[in-house]
Amino acid sequence: MAAIGVQAQKPHHHHRNMFFEMFLRVLITVSSALAIILSSISVCDGQWISTPEETVFGVWDTCQKGSIQCSEEMAWLSQHMVLVRTTVSLAVVVAIFGLQLLMVSQLCEDGHSHKKWNMGSVLLVISFFLSSTGTLTYIILLKDFTGLGSFTLLFWCQFVGVFLFFLNGISGIYLSRLTA
């Protein structure tokens, strides 16, 4: 009789584990979508620094060589912003593909859904490396021109997006290993 009671409790425990696994997968997916939205808005606008005494130096709107408001040093910076623009833009694209794989792995429960989830999580980690490289390069290039208080809300959106790419990618890989 005791063995029958133990067997009856196992499916209940299994359903609870499935609920938490599905809850975590949905949470990771929604958080990844939020990271993509934050990073996309930040990258598209690009106004990451605002100082009261000077004009804003953004990711996209850089000065032209020979312009009246453009010094030789600022022209050098605008040439090196290509690395920042390329890495943060590519990070958003890679994250979109990662999010797509995460969603497809949940919607299409087949033999390959575990691999799709892993690949989506790995793409989010790759997106973290790309976006953190671009953001850190931006900070390093402009460290002499600005202080911590000069960064705009859009820069901090990018910073949070970078953190969420890392958190969601690592969490997705870890969840995948737990459920394997």
Side-chain angles (χ1 to χ4, degrees), residues 42-47 57-64 81 84-86 88-89 138:
S42 177
V43 169
C44 287
D45 186 80
Q47 301 296 325
F57 190 77
V59 176
W60 296 99
D61 56 342
T62 56
C63 62
Q64 301 289 330
M81 280 295 157
V84 174
R85 289 191 291 264
T86 303
V88 295
S89 299
Y138 184 81

Side-chain angles (χ1 to χ4, degrees), residues 152-171:
T152 63
L153 182 61
L154 289 169
F155 172 81
W156 294 111
C157 286
Q158 175 66 16
F159 186 80
V160 170
V162 169
F163 175 72
L164 287 176
F165 287 147
F166 173 75
L167 186 66
N168 294 319
I170 295 299
S171 299

Side-chain angles (χ1 to χ4, degrees), residues 28-94:
I28 290 170
T29 304
V30 169
S31 182
S32 298
L34 177 65
I36 290 171
I37 291 168
L38 287 173
S39 190
S40 296
I41 291 170
S42 177
V43 169
C44 287
D45 186 80
Q47 301 296 325
W48 288 3
I49 290 182
S50 177
T51 56
E53 61 274 351
E54 292 185 21
T55 58
V56 175
F57 190 77
V59 176
W60 296 99
D61 56 342
T62 56
C63 62
Q64 301 289 330
K65 199 171 194 175
S67 172
I68 297 171
Q69 296 178 345
C70 187
S71 67
E72 192 67 34
E73 197 170 52
M74 294 300 269
W76 179 85
L77 280 174
S78 74
Q79 291 174 350
H80 290 84
M81 280 295 157
V82 173
L83 177 65
V84 174
R85 289 191 291 264
T86 303
T87 55
V88 295
S89 299
L90 188 60
V92 171
V93 172
V94 169

Side-chain angles (χ1 to χ4, degrees), residues 17-29:
N17 285 343
M18 283 183 52
F19 170 75
F20 285 122
E21 178 186 347
M22 189 58 64
F23 175 74
L24 289 175
R25 286 182 186 268
V26 169
L27 189 64
I28 290 170
T29 304

